[in-house]
Amino acid sequence: MELTIEQLIKIIVGVFVVVIVVISLYFFFKNYVIDFFNNTLGGNITSFVLFLLK
């Protein structure tokens, strides 16, 4: 199996996109969702998650 320049460019762009998505999700959850649950539930996230899973 031989990698061409075109395939290498596609791999590099794909890895770059995945890294950007992971970083974006991290910042979204860090700033909004985690703070929301900590403030709303008083830090008791486990019981809330178990309640949602019922």
Side-chain angles (χ1 to χ4, degrees):
M1 183 174 153
E2 213 174 297
L3 289 177
T4 63
I5 298 297
E6 183 178 333
Q7 289 172 331
L8 286 174
I9 291 172
K10 287 180 183 179
I11 291 171
I12 291 170
V13 169
V15 169
F16 181 72
V17 168
V18 169
V19 168
I20 294 298
V21 168
V22 169
I23 291 172
S24 300
L25 287 174
Y26 168 73
F27 280 115
F28 172 75
F29 283 111
K30 184 183 109 178
N31 291 332
Y32 296 105
V33 176
I34 292 175
D35 287 340
F36 173 75
F37 282 120
N38 284 337
N39 292 335
T40 304
L41 302 172
N44 194 2
I45 297 175
T46 306
S47 64
F48 180 70
V49 171
L50 292 175
F51 172 75
L52 289 177
L53 292 175
K54 286 185 179 182

